[in-house]
Amino acid sequence: MLQLDAVHIAYGPIQAVADATIAVEPGQIVAIVGANGAGKSTLLKAIAGLVPLAAGGIRFEGRDIAALPAHRRVAAGIALSPEGRQVFPDQTVRDNLELGAYSRRLGQADLARAMAAQYELFPRLRERQDQPAVTLSGGEQQMLAIARALMGEPRLLLLDEPSLGLAPLIIREIFGIITALRARGVTVLLVEQMANLALGVADRAYVLETGRVTLEGSGAELLQHPRVRAAYLGGG
Ligand code: ATP
């Protein structure tokens, strides 16, 4: 579904991603794990069209998208839920969701249907639809960020650090939602520092170290891998 081929990404003199080849098959959850600064967010931004490739190729559903601007990638079926959520704090939950569908120019009925689908997946958001996003808890804001991305009805959801700053119980709830999304046919590319959680749900996973893919395998394989255990899972 998505194929990154020998991708290089640089910020001026800083090489953030080097020679990354990554494949995402439809219907999978694919995880990219790695330490702070490894280049994980940069990769997602490049897929979303927010930073350019310095070299390499990117194909989505067979089509070369490297030159497409970000909004055209959204229209093609790719949505990003960014690191740090970036919901609009003063807008209500409902308005944040509407903004997620803005580029689709939906009629009222279709908009209501798309919103109802999100409220079904995230009942807490339904209860809070008239509240400004700033009044939500961190976990609820994360749910809102995911729901907003889903308003575009993407086939590929790019999810950047959904666990960031959240308590264990709510993280578990969010990972439950990620697996529910897969069951609904949404393909998920997930970036996470919490390697144990990400590998636990991932069909396939990649370890990124200082911009390079150093390991790949099924989530279960990488969970057992001695180097992954030593570096990302607290030893053992
Ligand atoms: P984190 O989990 O901390 O976000 P990450 O794995 O997502 O880490 P990136 O944010 O992709 O890592 O950063 C990769 C490298 O690129 C880092 O060295 C970072 O300092 C650098 N970098 C990221 N964004 C920029 C930018 N806008 N300008 C210059 N350098 C950047």
Side-chain angles (χ1 to χ4, degrees):
M1 173 182 232
L2 179 78
Q3 178 74 40
L4 303 184
D5 188 23
V7 161
H8 292 255
I9 308 165
Y11 298 103
I14 298 171
Q15 172 92 310
V17 173
D19 200 26
T21 293
I22 287 174
V24 178
E25 300 298 331
Q28 288 189 333
I29 296 174
V30 175
I32 300 176
V33 301
N36 246 322
K40 306 181 299 298
S41 298
T42 297
L43 261 180
L44 288 197
K45 286 182 191 157
I47 297 164
L50 303 175
V51 300
L53 303 187
I58 171 168
R59 299 181 74 79
F60 178 65
E61 297 181 331
R63 171 179 178 205
D64 179 357
I65 60 165
L68 282 190
H71 70 274
R72 300 267 310 272
R73 298 193 202 192
V74 174
I78 300 174
L80 171 66
S81 173
E83 181 171 17
R85 337 218 215 273
Q86 300 179 24
V87 295
F88 300 101
D90 301 328
Q91 308 281 333
T92 63
V93 166
R94 184 189 296 112
D95 288 347
N96 267 277
L97 290 180
E98 271 195 43
L99 287 164
Y102 178 73
S103 65
R104 300 176 69 199
R105 301 174 199 291
L106 299 179
Q108 281 307 315
D110 287 334
L111 188 62
R113 196 173 34 75
M115 218 171 282
Q118 306 323 319
Y119 289 147
E120 192 191 320
L121 196 58
F122 302 97
R124 288 172 185 232
L125 295 183
R126 187 201 309 272
E127 292 163 19
R128 292 164 176 77
Q129 55 185 299
D130 296 317
Q131 286 180 218
V134 69
T135 65
L136 301 180
S137 72
E140 290 158 0
Q141 288 189 25
Q142 182 60 59
M143 292 177 188
L144 179 56
I146 296 172
R148 184 181 58 184
L150 292 173
M151 284 296 286
E153 296 188 344
R155 292 185 295 289
L156 175 64
L157 176 67
L158 308 173
L159 206 46
D160 198 347
E161 297 274 4
S163 76
L164 194 71
L166 302 181
L169 207 60
I170 194 91
I171 293 174
R172 210 175 309 151
E173 196 174 332
I174 284 171
F175 272 74
I177 288 163
I178 295 169
T179 51
L181 285 174
R182 172 177 55 191
R184 291 172 183 220
V186 180
T187 304
V188 179
L189 181 57
L190 167 70
V191 153
E192 255 299 339
Q193 280 193 55
M194 294 245 187
N196 55 337
L197 290 172
L199 297 177
V201 299
D203 299 292
R204 194 149 187 87
Y206 295 83
V207 175
L208 203 62
E209 290 177 297
T210 56
R212 291 185 179 271
V213 174
T214 53
L215 282 173
E216 63 178 280
S218 70
E221 281 164 3
L222 292 194
L223 261 181
Q224 297 305 323
H225 195 288
R227 269 179 54 206
V228 173
R229 296 181 71 87
Y232 304 108
L233 303 176

